[in-house]
Amino acid sequence: MAKKKLKNATTRRNTPLSKHRQQGKVLNSPFGGIPNMRAVPWLRDQFPDYLWACWHLADKIDRGRSTVVAIMNVVNEVLDEVLGDSAADRAVFDGSLTSWESLPPQTRDAVLDALTDRGVHDLVIPETFAQALGMYPGAPGSWPTARWHARDGFRVDPEVAERALAPVIVASMSGRDTVGTQTKMLNFRALLIAEKIKFSFEIETVHLLARWPDELTDEERARVESFVRASFGATSAMVLDEEGSKRLAWARTFWRSNWRLYPCRVANEGGDDFDQESIMLKVTEFVNRANDQWEAFEAAAIAADPDLYDPDRFEVLTGLTARSLRIATSAIHSPAEWTLEHSSASIRALIETLITVTWLTARDELVMYSRFKDYGRGRLKLLKLHWEEFADSVDDVPAAVQGYIDDLCERSGEGVFCAH
């Protein structure tokens, strides 16, 4: 029987939980449990090699994609013309710096001449790109910038390089976002054209590749891009395996040089834009909403029959609800807690309470509420015992410690049975 589609299902960007496999206490993705598989970080290990392609895509995505595709075609045309029959054995040109570096020396001037003759040299190899790459002597694929370095008055300016490079890095940080994904799509296109990879036509997603990106629905585009992202690591390693060490060596050089080349800048988290009036308006709004929730809760609690002979169900449910309202009210009065960093503990407590209440009411067995209370009393008794052991270990028990022990004694239900 076919699985029922979720009513509010949205387009996924990752593998659903049902497709993961549990091995012991580890939950693996479909590829995660394959022996010798390892993750290859996009930003750390891949991005530096695709700096040229990302440079164009980060400027304007559609124009950048058209530029990179056009240059891939030009380079392949030149290679076919210069190398002739031996061109079939060449490495795949996918726009990465290592693929620029892999172009045979006898073809490089011809490639630059072709760009110059078409009047696109300065568009394809921008001066800012030459400035940025010039900060890394010996970088792979730096030869296309040679004609900039040969021009009178050109010099590498670290400030120009930093201003140009920074937004490219920011735009390319995630391999799942637009720039990273389209870079991988362009790599995939180069591999398909070079016939380095082949897929069965029975794979439905393969038929969508030719229509990417403009002729696909949002759902189809998400499927295609997810398919290519999943394939990117394996295909790049397969085709450019001999260049893998060069790619990683360049990535290490790029990132380790940046600390020395450019000043460390502290991110502005908006402290100067703090609007006290807006914050207080929000506090007032949230307080009013919280007060409404308190009134509704109290009215519902009063209207309910607590069963004074066996009140465990009433006490547990109202106690958990009141605790959640206190947590929320406390956060409302502390705007500093309105960030994920500082509110994580409160959010976790609220979610755990929701899960607990949902489970208890779904079971709705009176004995479960009694066990819940007994468990809580047991935890308090254990805490009291730890503090009593501490008190026994010192000659003079501080009054605050003894007071806390007495409080724990009362709260754990021991009452008059506590002895001092």
Side-chain angles (χ1 to χ4, degrees):
M1 184 174 67
K3 290 186 177 180
K4 186 177 180 181
K5 188 173 182 181
L6 295 178
K7 181 179 179 181
N8 297 320
T10 57
T11 301
R12 286 187 176 273
R13 297 185 63 186
N14 58 329
T15 306
L17 184 62
S18 60
K19 300 296 183 182
H20 288 62
R21 296 172 296 174
Q22 186 167 354
Q23 297 177 338
K25 295 185 177 180
V26 178
L27 192 65
N28 287 314
S29 64
F31 289 104
I34 298 177
N36 301 321
M37 283 283 287
R38 71 179 184 88
V40 181
W42 156 255
L43 184 64
R44 191 191 76 174
D45 290 347
Q46 303 275 18
F47 161 73
D49 196 29
Y50 286 93
L51 182 60
W52 175 77
C54 291
W55 198 278
H56 287 285
L57 293 170
D59 180 39
K60 193 170 184 181
I61 197 70
D62 292 334
R63 184 177 64 189
R65 182 176 62 248
S66 299
T67 298
V68 174
V69 168
I71 299 313
M72 286 181 175
N73 295 337
V74 169
V75 169
N76 285 322
E77 290 172 9
V78 172
L79 293 178
D80 288 339
E81 180 180 342
V82 175
L83 299 178
D85 294 338
S86 62
D89 298 326
R90 67 177 181 260
V92 176
F93 180 77
D94 66 347
S96 62
L97 294 183
T98 50
S99 69
W100 279 103
E101 189 66 28
S102 70
L103 299 186
Q106 67 269 30
T107 67
R108 296 179 179 181
D109 283 338
V111 168
L112 295 179
D113 288 341
L115 298 180
T116 301
D117 293 343
R118 287 170 168 81
V120 296
H121 175 276
D122 291 3
L123 171 65
V124 174
I125 311 296
E127 181 180 5
T128 51
F129 178 77
Q131 292 271 359
L133 203 59
M135 297 292 291
Y136 312 93
S142 57
W143 62 264
T145 66
R147 295 190 177 181
W148 277 109
H149 290 269
R151 296 184 187 184
D152 292 337
F154 178 85
R155 69 179 184 87
V156 175
D157 186 332
E159 292 186 2
V160 173
E162 182 188 8
R163 285 198 302 270
L165 179 60
V168 178
I169 294 177
V170 171
S172 308
M173 291 187 72
S174 172
R176 302 183 66 86
D177 287 344
T178 303
V179 172
T181 294
Q182 300 237 352
T183 300
K184 296 173 184 180
M185 294 294 298
L186 294 171
N187 161 267
F188 203 72
R189 174 186 181 276
L191 296 177
L192 287 174
I193 291 175
E195 297 184 349
K196 296 297 184 180
I197 54 175
K198 296 181 180 180
F199 292 96
S200 169
F201 279 102
E202 295 180 0
I203 301 177
E204 183 182 357
T205 307
V206 172
H207 296 278
L208 302 176
L209 287 169
R211 294 162 46 203
W212 178 88
D214 298 325
E215 299 178 16
L216 300 177
T217 65
D218 291 343
E219 190 273 337
E220 289 173 335
R221 188 181 303 111
R223 284 170 52 198
V224 168
E225 293 178 352
S226 178
F227 175 78
V228 171
R229 282 195 300 265
S231 306
F232 173 75
T235 54
S236 62
M238 174 185 68
V239 178
L240 297 176
D241 185 59
E242 66 276 12
E243 301 294 336
S245 60
K246 295 180 181 178
R247 174 176 292 180
L248 291 177
W250 159 236
R252 295 187 189 99
T253 298
F254 177 80
W255 290 115
R256 290 171 178 170
S257 298
N258 286 343
W259 185 262
R260 172 177 50 84
L261 293 175
Y262 304 115
C264 180
R265 303 188 186 281
V266 179
N268 182 2
E269 298 185 356
D272 295 336
D273 299 327
F274 182 82
D275 187 342
Q276 181 72 30
E277 183 178 355
S278 297
I279 292 293
M280 294 313 299
L281 287 174
K282 278 296 179 184
V283 169
T284 301
E285 175 188 343
F286 292 155
V287 166
N288 291 335
R289 292 170 61 181
N291 288 339
D292 291 341
Q293 292 297 318
W294 271 111
E295 291 177 4
F297 163 64
E298 291 173 352
I302 292 172
D305 180 0
D307 185 359
L308 296 181
Y309 176 76
D310 192 4
D312 289 344
R313 182 181 188 276
F314 177 85
E315 291 178 352
V316 168
L317 294 180
T318 55
L320 289 172
T321 303
R323 176 175 179 267
S324 297
L325 287 171
R326 286 195 300 271
I327 292 173
T329 302
S330 175
I332 289 171
H333 289 281
S334 303
E337 292 188 32
W338 296 2
T339 63
L340 184 59
E341 177 183 5
H342 296 101
S343 64
S344 57
S346 298
I347 293 173
R348 176 171 180 170
L350 293 173
I351 292 175
E352 288 179 346
T353 300
L354 176 61
I355 293 171
T356 300
V357 170
T358 301
W359 184 81
L360 285 171
T361 53
R363 294 285 297 270
D364 207 26
E365 299 174 8
L366 293 180
V367 68
M368 302 306 299
Y369 297 100
S370 299
R371 290 179 182 176
F372 183 88
K373 291 177 68 174
D374 289 340
Y375 178 80
R377 280 191 289 261
R379 298 291 295 179
L380 286 174
K381 289 178 181 179
L382 179 61
L383 179 60
K384 180 182 74 72
L385 290 174
H386 283 302
W387 277 103
E388 286 178 337
E389 284 195 3
F390 168 74
D392 291 341
S393 68
V394 297
D395 295 331
D396 187 14
V397 180
V401 171
Q402 187 59 61
Y404 186 47
I405 292 174
D406 293 341
D407 180 59
L408 289 173
C409 187
E410 293 294 332
R411 290 169 57 196
S412 64
E414 294 186 359
V416 295
F417 297 106
C418 285
H420 304 315

